Amino acid sequence: GIQVEQSPPDLILQEGANSTLRCNFSDSVNNLQWFHQNPWGQLINLFYIPSGTKQNGRLSATTVATERYSLLYISSSQTTDSGVYFCAVLYNFNKFYFGSGTKLNVKP
Amino acid sequence: DGGITQSPKYLFRKEGQNVTLSCEQNLNHDAMYWYRQDPGQGLRLIYYSQIVNDFQKGDIAEGYSVSREKKESFPLTVTSAQKNPTAFYLCASSAAGTGSRGEQYFGPGTRLTVT
């Protein structure tokens, strides 16, 4: 299979701060997604980003496929950003592999 | 509205009983997936199906079974052979078929507790 590693595993921020989450993967992938898991367990799609840079409001993501990593940027964090952030990669066109997640806690 | 539904949201069973979790999608997606999540952990793939009447084992298929008789439905049975069935189960679908790169979407999940 493929190894997907996320860092940091835990992150505590004060409201308004910025943060960068990282996802490294050990082989070439067909696509990459970032998800936010809310406190009720629902996985919310943030970005579908096999390469390049995308932005959506306060969130942006960059994937450098040739160097096998992706970054998720959260600016001006809010308490509602709290939860777990996962990256997932599609490998060999059939199976998705997930990282172990970054648990974010934004304090008011 | 298009989406993925899972039922029930919470499920309680006695040890030794088989239990079936429902997953339905109206996104017209070819591929469907079942994942298991334990507390504080990531998602692990149980089974996946890229086309009707065909499915493959994921990384932790032992003690589980699935069927894919319709494009819209991919039920998961947790059998009595599964040693630690208590977990959060998530179903997903994507437009990915063989050779595709579709985006994956998730249902709300089913929390299974076996005592």
Side-chain angles (χ1 to χ4, degrees):
Chain A
I2 186 173
Q3 303 302 312
V4 182
E5 296 178 351
Q6 291 187 242
S7 61
D10 295 280
L11 187 56
I12 301 174
L13 297 175
Q14 208 64 37
E15 200 169 24
N18 303 330
S19 61
T20 301
L21 284 57
R22 188 177 180 102
C23 174
N24 292 336
F25 40 98
S26 60
D27 202 348
S28 298
V29 298
N30 310 118
N31 80 35
L32 186 144
Q33 288 183 255
W34 283 98
F35 296 92
H36 175 214
Q37 188 169 39
N38 66 22
W40 297 272
Q42 175 77 55
L43 276 147
I44 299 163
N45 291 35
L46 297 178
F47 293 102
Y48 168 70
I49 185 164
S51 63
T53 297
K54 291 186 178 179
Q55 179 153 9
N56 184 3
R58 296 181 296 103
L59 273 59
S60 64
T62 295
T63 297
V64 184
T66 52
E67 297 187 20
R68 300 178 186 169
Y69 73 88
S70 183
L71 302 173
L72 177 69
Y73 305 96
I74 304 174
S75 64
S76 303
S77 58
Q78 301 176 356
T79 55
T80 52
D81 294 331
S82 295
V84 184
Y85 290 81
F86 289 103
C87 72
V89 301
L90 178 63
Y91 184 58
N92 283 344
F93 292 108
N94 58 12
K95 289 172 67 173
F96 286 89
Y97 291 83
F98 280 74
S100 54
T102 292
K103 186 174 182 180
L104 174 63
N105 184 6
V106 181
K107 295 185 176 295
Chain B
D1 285 332
I4 303 172
T5 57
Q6 291 186 243
S7 60
K9 196 169 186 177
Y10 298 93
L11 190 53
F12 298 89
R13 280 294 181 270
K14 295 289 187 186
E15 197 172 318
Q17 293 178 333
N18 290 357
V19 60
T20 297
L21 281 58
S22 168
C23 178
E24 304 275 334
Q25 56 99 359
N26 62 4
L27 300 168
N28 199 32
H29 284 168
D30 289 311
M32 297 187 74
Y33 311 83
W34 273 106
Y35 295 90
R36 169 183 172 136
Q37 187 179 31
D38 293 291
Q41 305 295 313
L43 278 69
R44 293 184 290 168
L45 183 64
I46 305 173
Y47 268 98
Y48 63 105
S49 167
Q50 294 186 315
I51 196 168
V52 173
N53 292 323
D54 188 43
F55 48 82
Q56 288 77 40
K57 293 182 179 180
D59 301 314
I60 56 164
E62 186 176 350
Y64 300 98
S65 65
V66 293
S67 63
R68 187 85 187 278
E69 297 177 2
K70 298 187 300 181
K71 187 175 185 177
E72 302 79 17
S73 178
F74 191 40
L76 172 74
T77 297
V78 184
T79 75
S80 57
Q82 169 48 234
K83 296 190 187 311
N84 297 296
T86 295
F88 185 46
Y89 291 88
L90 287 152
C91 177
S93 71
S94 74
T98 303
S100 298
R101 305 181 181 191
E103 187 173 358
Q104 195 173 190
Y105 294 87
F106 280 83
T110 292
R111 294 192 185 275
L112 174 64
T113 302
V114 177
T115 57

